[in-house]
DNA sequence: AAATATCTTGCAAAAAAATGCAAAAAAAAG
DNA sequence: CTTTTTTTTGCATTTTTTTGCAAGATATTT
């Protein structure tokens, strides 16, 4: 049996049972324990499962409580959020706002990553509960029930006292000419302030958002330091961004 | 059976029954008591439950419906939180901090109550999502993972700009001579500041907490305006409090 | 205060994972 | 069709994780 066939069966069984056991699988598929183990490592690298002692489990298994409403298993988002991990180093202070992309990035932080994360997103704070080495600071302000974030002058004022290494900005539209745009006015103002509080700004864009324009402008491209995308850094459609000095990841 | 599978079953049972017993579980899952105990410790570290003597109870704010827990006289809590509703009137601004009592009070707000609630508790903000006429303002600051509240100088500074009608203070101990006491130092300081930001302070005490003294003092009795208790207002054991001008509810 | 149940701690056995290596199989190159 | 190269596989060894047990400490109940 070829490797790909085996891995397909592993994923199928995982989807059925929510968990797999390596020893059991090796007997079932008549291959050595090591082969199965290596398959599982490969599948984990692709972000298709989570390896645990004794087997593997479906990707967001024990964090299902916090992922309610966020549990979209989009292949591209998974790929993106993995790539985004390159942005972070120990002992940095990071500013992150709301949105599902940021949520998934935080969810995938390595357990031993030592960061200070400043955020206005409640779901983000909650998910970081599971990362013992991450210190979380919440921005206060008016609580926006739909987006589960804080906004307003109180959050703005708190930002004035802060200076962070990196701001991971969520957004709705990205266009080479117009820059970064958003659907919500109040948030767009806050994000402008956030960008000014950071040494570098990074955005993480699914392909769908590139070349999209929304109502409220947040900032120009020259304020952006990094663009995380699932496209290859050399992709010609990214020329416009690369030319403006944005580092493609 | 792999560890993660066991832990998933524990969480599932917990969500069904609201409480679990370690011995019972170890028999049900055919593993030693120690393994279950270690699982429960891990799950507690992740904030997915709360360990108690002999078992565990649901903890996450998403399943905070745990009115029935170990050692908690939930009948009394229900009675108390009902009584506490008398404290609130439309168009007031209320300051509420963390703790299960405050959580349950907020949970029982009438759906048509129009309030502004200022809080440093994430579970409280989340539960108020379901009350469309309540505006929520969150205090920013360092996020305390265990208690799911914000603390620290940033929260203190934000309080300086606020003046509220009523502060509903959570606490650990209440004694006629010593006053209100708490187990956690950082919180006790914040609560002092909160009390100063409010026209009136109310506390809501299950009988168990009355005549109890904890490590850190928050304030004297004369700073307290209302005491909500399940005892009758005329109960002689409340004389000490009534004499100090506290209104018994 | 005694009796019972539960918790903590350290330890050793068992299970599983990681690592390095060499044979076998498959793919690519000539 | 060989030969070379690469990939895959299984095995032995070392390391890590998990597990169950026992003894003493702590908590709860009677």
């Amino acid at each position: 049996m070829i490797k790909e066939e085996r891995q397909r069966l592993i994923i199928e069984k995982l989807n059925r049972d929510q968990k797999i056991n390596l020893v059991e699988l090796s007997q079932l598929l008549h291959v050595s324990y090591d082969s199965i183990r290596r398959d599982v490592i490969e599948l984990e690298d692709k972000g298709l499962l989570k390896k645990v002692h004794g087997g593997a489990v479906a990707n967001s298994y024990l964090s299902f409580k916090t992922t309610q409403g966020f549990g979209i298993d989009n292949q591209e988002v998974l790929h993106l959020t993995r790539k985004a991990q390159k942005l972070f180093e120990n002992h940095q202070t990071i500013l992150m706002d709301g949105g599902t992309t940021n949520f998934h990035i935080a969810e995938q932080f390595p357990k031993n990553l030592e960061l200070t994360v400043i955020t206005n997103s409640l779901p983000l704070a909650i998910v970081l509960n599971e990362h013992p080495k991450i210190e979380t600071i919440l921005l206060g302000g008016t609580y926006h029930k739909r987006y589960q974030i804080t906004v307003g002058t109180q959050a703005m004022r708190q930002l004035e006292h802060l200076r962070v290494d990196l701001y991971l900005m969520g957004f709705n539209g990205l266009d080479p000419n117009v820059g970064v745009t958003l659907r919500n006015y109040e948030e767009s103002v806050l994000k402008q302030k956030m960008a000014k509080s950071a040494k570098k700004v990074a955005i993480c864009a699914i392909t769908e958002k590139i070349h999209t324009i929304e109502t409220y402008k947040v900032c120009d491209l020259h304020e952006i330091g990094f663009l995380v995308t699932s496209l290859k850094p050399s992709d010609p459609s990214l020329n416009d961004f690369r030319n403006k000095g944005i580092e493609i990841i």
Side-chain angles (χ1 to χ4, degrees), chain A:
Chain A
M1 181 180 328
I2 64 171
K3 196 175 63 165
E4 281 70 19
E5 169 75 352
R6 246 179 11 229
Q7 298 193 354
R8 194 178 56 79
L9 291 170
I10 292 175
I11 292 293
E12 273 178 19
K13 185 167 172 58
L14 192 60
N15 287 337
R16 263 200 315 278
D17 303 350
Q18 296 295 299
K19 72 176 193 237
I20 51 171
N21 175 292
L22 298 195
V23 176
E24 197 181 295
L25 258 177
S26 69
Q27 292 164 355
L28 205 69
L29 300 181
H30 304 290
V31 286
S32 75
Y33 170 85
D34 292 79
S35 294
I36 296 292
R37 198 172 57 79
R38 280 184 279 241
D39 285 338
V40 166
I41 289 171
E42 274 185 40
L43 291 169
E44 181 175 45
D45 285 341
K46 289 182 188 165
L48 297 172
L49 49 74
K50 179 164 168 45
K51 204 155 120 25
V52 297
H53 194 96
V57 295
N59 226 312
S60 55
Y61 184 74
L62 271 183
S63 58
F64 57 93
K65 273 175 184 284
T66 41
T67 42
Q68 277 181 2
F70 289 96
I72 312 137
D73 267 13
N74 183 306
Q75 202 55 35
E76 192 189 349
V77 171
L78 213 66
H79 183 212
L80 259 185
T81 51
R82 291 211 150 217
K83 264 190 165 180
Q85 304 299 325
K86 290 183 197 165
L87 291 168
F88 309 103
E89 288 168 31
N90 276 337
H91 310 301
Q92 280 180 321
T93 297
I94 311 286
L95 184 58
M96 290 175 82
D97 48 27
T100 52
T101 309
N102 272 356
F103 182 89
H104 281 119
I105 290 172
E107 200 178 28
Q108 289 184 23
F109 280 155
K111 291 290 177 195
N112 58 353
L113 182 62
E114 290 183 38
L115 286 182
T116 300
V117 174
I118 303 174
T119 184
N120 68 330
S121 161
L122 269 66
L124 207 70
I126 308 259
V127 81
L128 289 177
N129 253 337
E130 295 183 23
H131 296 259
K133 300 206 167 174
I134 291 183
E135 183 181 350
T136 311
I137 293 173
L138 253 156
L139 295 177
T142 308
Y143 178 56
H144 191 302
K145 298 189 177 189
R146 181 161 163 208
Y147 299 130
Q148 299 190 95
I149 56 174
T150 53
V151 293
T153 53
Q154 295 174 81
M156 305 269 270
R157 202 157 43 199
Q158 205 176 337
L159 277 170
E160 279 167 16
H161 300 273
L162 298 171
R163 183 84 189 155
V164 302
D165 297 310
L166 181 73
Y167 168 30
L168 199 58
M169 180 194 276
F171 68 99
N172 298 129
L174 178 65
D175 182 272
N177 301 311
V178 180
V180 181
T181 49
L182 211 68
R183 288 199 205 98
N184 180 293
Y185 174 71
E186 204 164 19
E187 267 194 276
S188 73
V189 179
L190 186 59
K191 280 166 194 278
Q192 283 167 10
K193 194 111 188 172
M194 285 180 166
K196 297 223 185 321
S197 305
K199 291 180 197 161
K200 287 258 189 183
V201 179
I203 56 180
C204 190
I206 58 172
T207 319
E208 177 186 282
K209 283 184 183 172
I210 299 179
H211 298 101
T212 302
I213 301 173
E214 297 292 347
T215 316
Y216 302 102
K217 176 159 173 176
V218 180
C219 67
D220 282 316
L221 285 193
H222 68 79
E223 294 193 53
I224 306 299
F226 304 100
L227 169 61
V228 184
T229 161
S230 52
L231 301 174
K232 283 198 181 120
S234 58
D235 193 295
S237 76
L238 297 173
N239 282 342
D240 289 334
F241 300 102
R242 206 177 305 105
N243 290 341
K244 305 233 173 175
I246 298 177
E247 183 176 339
I248 314 288
I249 292 177

